[in-house]
Amino acid sequence: MKNILKYTISLALAGCLMWFVFKDINMTEMFHQFANANYWWIIFSGFLGLVAHIARASRWKLLMEPLGYKPSTFRTTLAVLMGYFANYIIPRMGEVTRCGTLQKTDGIPMEKSFGTVVTERIFDLVMLLIILILNLSLEFTKLKDFFMEQFASKVTLIVAFLIVVILGGIAGIWLFKKYQAKLAEHPVLGKVVNLVNGLLDGLLSIGKMQQPGLFIFYSVLIWVMYYFSAYVLFFAIPETSHLGLLAGLTVLTMGSFGMAAPTQGGIGPFHFLVGNALVLYGLQQKDGIILATFIHGSQMIALLILGALSFLITLFLKSHTSPQES
């Protein structure tokens, strides 16, 4: 019931935002523009997106190696793609799905792989903050009023939430380390202790990596590919082909915030933020929303196809009983 309620609320939120975004859009005109788009750019964008996903899978693999697990890049890529597929069904389900997939194919305990995913997300947040600062530095005149309008009222709340989470996490880890011996004596709590220790092992694997430079390279590559996979789609539609590199940076920033919203695959928030931000670059609002729909839609279709194929492939993969053999 909890999952059904969460899914329903998320779907309702996405539906309301989509209605608000598209209520003044001529759908016939939009589909006409899509039909006349240059689909070679879409194919190229899909290839760049796939490179980003493979880079993410390779980076994830680096975090698991210090724990004694060496899954192949092919299998981690399948797990990552299935995770993206799951996010379009239930928000934030992707992280659990890809860890479960790797447990099935390579026998890697979910609590350990999930800990490495948390570490990944922390670094993604750092990269997003760097991109945000870069975007504001290069386009301050254009973006200052937009950011104030969209995010100013939420900054205090977001900062307070992050402080509470960080302090709560530190306090929780300290208390756990202090009392884990006593907790482990209990038959039920002992299992919880093993679970938490697995999560912490995965979370702290970053400090035991043998190739930190390669980890940073993959982190940068992921976001560079995200950027260009959206930017090249400007050229697929004649009305947006004049947009420059800085407009692409703004799309990456706003799109990342939209994808972080608690809806299926960022549906709704992505269109609203990207569509309205593109008005700052001389587009009419309807053209901005059409481009946002084109970018999100093409990427969503690619991920749904790749995710479904990944699911079918994993059905025929032979499971590795010993993770070190993979």
Side-chain angles (χ1 to χ4, degrees), residues 63 67 110-116 118-119 169-170 172-178 180 192-208:
L63 287 172
L67 303 176
M110 274 192 66
E111 65 273 13
K112 290 184 180 291
S113 61
F114 192 79
T116 61
V118 174
T119 301
I170 293 173
I173 291 173
W174 180 79
L175 288 171
F176 173 77
K177 289 295 184 182
K178 184 176 181 180
Q180 68 169 321
V192 176
V193 168
N194 291 333
L195 175 64
V196 174
N197 277 323
L199 287 170
L200 290 176
D201 287 343
L203 184 62
L204 300 175
S205 62
I206 185 71
K208 303 175 184 177

Side-chain angles (χ1 to χ4, degrees), residues 4 10 17 26 34 39 72 114 130 169 181 183 187 220 234 239-240 242 272-274 281 283 303:
I4 292 173
S10 174
L17 284 171
N26 186 322
F34 289 173
Y39 282 83
S72 67
F114 192 79
I130 292 172
L183 294 173
V220 174
F234 290 176
E239 290 79 3
T240 60
H242 66 281
F272 176 79
L273 290 174
V274 172
Y281 294 88
L283 290 185
L303 285 173

Side-chain angles (χ1 to χ4, degrees), residues 72 75 103-108 318-323 325-326:
S72 67
R75 292 185 178 225
Q103 183 177 38
K104 175 182 179 296
T105 61
D106 289 78
I108 300 175
K318 182 180 178 181
S319 298
H320 289 142
T321 54
S322 173
E325 294 175 0
S326 59

Side-chain angles (χ1 to χ4, degrees), residues 1-13:
M1 182 59 68
K2 179 182 176 182
N3 288 333
I4 292 173
L5 185 62
K6 180 172 66 174
Y7 181 81
T8 303
I9 292 173
S10 174
L11 196 61
L13 176 61

Side-chain angles (χ1 to χ4, degrees), residues 295-314:
I295 293 172
H296 187 275
S298 60
Q299 293 177 347
M300 180 179 72
I301 291 171
L303 285 173
L304 288 175
I305 293 173
L306 290 171
L309 288 174
S310 298
F311 173 74
L312 292 175
I313 291 171
T314 56

Side-chain angles (χ1 to χ4, degrees), residues 58-106:
S58 300
R59 186 182 69 170
W60 189 27
K61 178 182 173 182
L62 288 177
L63 287 172
M64 285 183 282
E65 288 178 353
L67 303 176
Y69 303 106
K70 296 182 180 180
S72 67
T73 302
F74 177 68
R75 292 185 178 225
T76 52
T77 300
L78 292 178
V80 166
L81 291 173
M82 286 181 63
Y84 283 123
F85 182 88
N87 275 337
Y88 285 104
I89 302 172
I90 301 176
R92 306 275 68 87
M93 191 65 183
E95 286 78 4
V96 176
T97 299
R98 64 164 161 156
C99 293
T101 301
L102 214 56
Q103 183 177 38
K104 175 182 179 296
T105 61
D106 289 78

